[in-house]
Amino acid sequence: MDQIQHKYVTVQGLKLHVADIGTGPNVVVFLHGFPEIWYSWRHQMIAVAKAGFRAIAPDCRGYGLSDPPPQPEKTSSYDLINDLLGILDALAIPKVFLIGKDFGARPAYLFALLHPEKVLGVVTMGVPYRPPQTRSPYDKCLPEGFYINRWREPGRAEADFGRLDAKTVVRNVYILFSRSELPIAAENQEIMDMVDSSTPLPPWFTEEDLEAYGKLYEKSGFQTALQMPYRASTDDLGTSESIVKVPVLFIMGNKDYTLKFPGIEDYINSGKLKEFVPDLEIVFLPEGTHFVQEQSPELVNELILTFLRKYI
């Protein structure tokens, strides 16, 4: 960890924090999800650097050590794509592998759609590719207490989170999201109330890890994090393209709660996903939860390195 360098790149008027380790022409960029930050890729960054790659993990705008945008409520997927493009330009990196987890999968796929000449391959975890024109059906198919429905409601999550310190919010989300059931609160219950204070952290997530997350969320807060991904609209990206033409590895935990989203498991297993991602490999991890890269780092690292070596 002490070999990871930390730098700032100014993109679209924001100072974006980038963790960086390794050298050489083959570069891997890691894109985090929620409630994650660059730190969630610590195991993978060290592994790919030891294997001869350069590993870069930015904090998404408004997350961790990156500046928040002046109007967080206007943050969109398109901003993340332009941030990534700006980071690559600033660091003079012509071509990369992209690895995205949770909402970080979306900009990875969209970047590959819009800038295929800059992408050697894509690895994602927890969230399958959906064409940019696709609208989310979850708010209509799932109860009012479903966590995304709650967090889309302006002010509700802010009030819920605001009762607790940042570290406790992250702790509760990690516990909730590492279960195999969808987080759905009762009518008179808030999402944070779904976790008892005596519930232990997952065994692969230490108090030291939680401390690292807590400190960074104390700095950034959750305003941008609630906008991206939960309230951001589906943007018009200016392209009708929907086929991802670069090689893709999709890693999914069999115990990931997102498999309980309506239609997702069938979409992955029926062959429909492969219609949009022709050069696709899918790997299911039997014990994997939503945080496979932190839960089973050695296994995930091996899958990633095998994929990377295939396409350099």
Side-chain angles (χ1 to χ4, degrees), residues 7-18 32 37-38 58-73 75 79-80 83 87 216 219-225 228:
K7 57 189 66 173
Y8 289 88
V9 177
T10 300
V11 179
Q12 302 188 84
L14 301 178
K15 278 176 60 183
L16 301 180
H17 168 251
V18 178
H32 66 77
I37 44 179
W38 76 267
D59 280 332
C60 174
R61 54 170 53 205
Y63 280 74
L65 296 172
S66 288
D67 281 350
Q71 295 178 292
E73 70 280 2
T75 298
D79 288 319
L80 303 193
D83 286 348
I87 289 169
L216 289 177
K219 177 189 181 297
S220 68
F222 293 95
Q223 189 176 9
T224 308
M228 174 54 65

Side-chain angles (χ1 to χ4, degrees), residues 159-171:
D160 187 16
F161 291 6
R163 298 175 295 147
L164 308 167
D165 60 52
K167 191 164 88 167
T168 303
V169 173
V170 174
R171 172 187 174 276

Side-chain angles (χ1 to χ4, degrees), residues 263-309:
I264 284 291
E265 193 163 10
D266 181 63
Y267 174 65
I268 294 170
N269 293 326
S270 67
K272 187 69 177 175
L273 175 56
K274 202 167 176 63
E275 292 178 18
F276 297 112
V277 190
D279 192 355
L280 173 68
E281 179 185 359
I282 302 175
V283 177
F284 282 95
L285 302 184
E287 298 302 314
T289 67
H290 193 56
F291 300 100
V292 288
Q293 88 280 21
E294 293 183 275
Q295 177 191 9
S296 304
E298 292 182 1
L299 184 54
V300 170
N301 294 349
E302 184 180 341
L303 290 169
I304 288 173
L305 287 170
T306 299
F307 178 83
L308 297 179
R309 288 168 177 147

